[in-house]
Amino acid sequence: GAGVSQTPSNKVTEKGKYVELRCDPISGHTALYWYRQSLGQGPEFLIYFQGTGAADDSGLPNDRFFAVRPEGSVSTLKIQRTERGDSAVYLCASELTGSYNEQFFGPGTRLTVL
Amino acid sequence: AQKITQTQPGMFVQEKEAVTLDCTYDTSDPSYGLFWYKQPSSGEMIFLIYQGSYDQQNATEGRYSLNFQKARKSANLVISASQLGDSAMYFCAMREGSSSGGGADGLTFGKGTHLIIQP
């Protein structure tokens, strides 16, 4: 059974560029989460989708960050005009709503903004 | 204010000993869930154990148990008979608004404890 997958695994970009990070959740999982983990810190919540809609986007740091999940499965996190402070590992997790309690995390995308 | 506090940045433990990783939390919501995750150097987040705020008994999963002291807002992780493979970062996390733990807001994580098991 496939777990949560994220692509690319690594992304290096220059300051000011636009990047897209992709998350492919476990099939059938209706809830999808994005987190950001900076070096030496715990993951920080960014946004949560229930189906196609963003149920909670309160963790997005500013309007340069945007995420979509148009068909209720794959999600894309989009970052415009990247800044060096955006460098981090971006983690995606999925969950079967109403299930016991486990969020299944992907391996993450390491974003480096030069 | 920190919602999840892990006061031990790093710990060294001898193999086969038991280890307790501290976690305190802050919430005014009567319904919440507490989680522990392990993150090895490879980076993946591995779910270990869960405790709901209304659960009467402390959660256990194999060598992992959660020492839940609700009045003290404490949710320490206990690992019995530690193994070399237990060396990793350990994160305590909380989800508010759902004592069943499922399908609600994102998790709030602590800063983690780096556990090193020595042979």
Side-chain angles (χ1 to χ4, degrees), chain A residues 33 35 37 40-43 45 48 56 91 95 97 99-103 105, chain B residues 35 37 39 45 47 50 91 95 100-107 109-111:
Chain A
Y33 302 80
Y35 295 87
Q37 187 174 22
Q41 303 293 317
F45 168 74
Y48 153 55
D56 182 358
L91 295 165
E95 181 179 288
T97 305
S99 69
Y100 173 49
N101 53 34
E102 185 175 353
Q103 287 188 11
F105 280 81
Chain B
F35 303 74
Y37 280 83
Q39 189 176 43
M45 295 288 285
F47 167 77
Y50 165 81
F91 292 98
R95 165 182 268 159
S100 67
D105 293 342
L107 300 176
F109 285 83
K111 293 188 175 183

Side-chain angles (χ1 to χ4, degrees), chain A residues 25-44:
Chain A
I26 293 172
S27 177
H29 280 194
T30 53
L32 185 147
Y33 302 80
W34 283 99
Y35 295 87
R36 177 170 70 174
Q37 187 174 22
S38 300
L39 194 62
Q41 303 293 317
E44 172 193 18

Side-chain angles (χ1 to χ4, degrees), chain A:
Chain A
V4 178
S5 62
Q6 292 186 246
T7 54
S9 55
N10 278 283
K11 176 71 176 178
V12 180
T13 191
E14 293 180 344
K15 180 174 178 293
K17 299 288 189 183
Y18 167 82
V19 296
E20 290 189 351
L21 312 179
R22 176 188 167 109
C23 172
D24 206 332
I26 293 172
S27 177
H29 280 194
T30 53
L32 185 147
Y33 302 80
W34 283 99
Y35 295 87
R36 177 170 70 174
Q37 187 174 22
S38 300
L39 194 62
Q41 303 293 317
E44 172 193 18
F45 168 74
L46 296 177
I47 187 170
Y48 153 55
F49 286 91
Q50 185 59 253
T52 60
D56 182 358
D57 64 357
S58 62
L60 295 177
N62 52 59
D63 61 6
R64 296 187 297 106
F65 289 74
F66 188 70
V68 295
R69 195 186 185 199
E71 297 177 358
S73 178
V74 171
S75 176
T76 305
L77 178 66
K78 308 180 180 193
I79 310 174
Q80 298 178 318
R81 304 183 303 280
T82 52
E83 299 177 356
R84 292 194 179 90
D86 298 335
S87 297
V89 175
Y90 289 81
L91 295 165
C92 175
S94 73
E95 181 179 288
L96 183 63
T97 305
S99 69
Y100 173 49
N101 53 34
E102 185 175 353
Q103 287 188 11
F104 293 82
F105 280 81
T109 293
R110 182 175 297 278
L111 175 67
T112 303
V113 182
L114 301 176

Side-chain angles (χ1 to χ4, degrees), chain B residues 1 7 9 18 20 29 35 48 53 55 58-60 67 72 75-76 78-79 82-83 87 90 110 117:
Chain B
T7 58
T20 298
D29 198 319
F35 303 74
L48 297 178
S53 59
D55 291 346
N58 286 346
T60 61
N67 184 2
R72 298 175 65 179
N76 296 343
V78 180
I79 306 174
S82 58
Q83 303 170 355
S87 296
Y90 287 81
I117 307 298

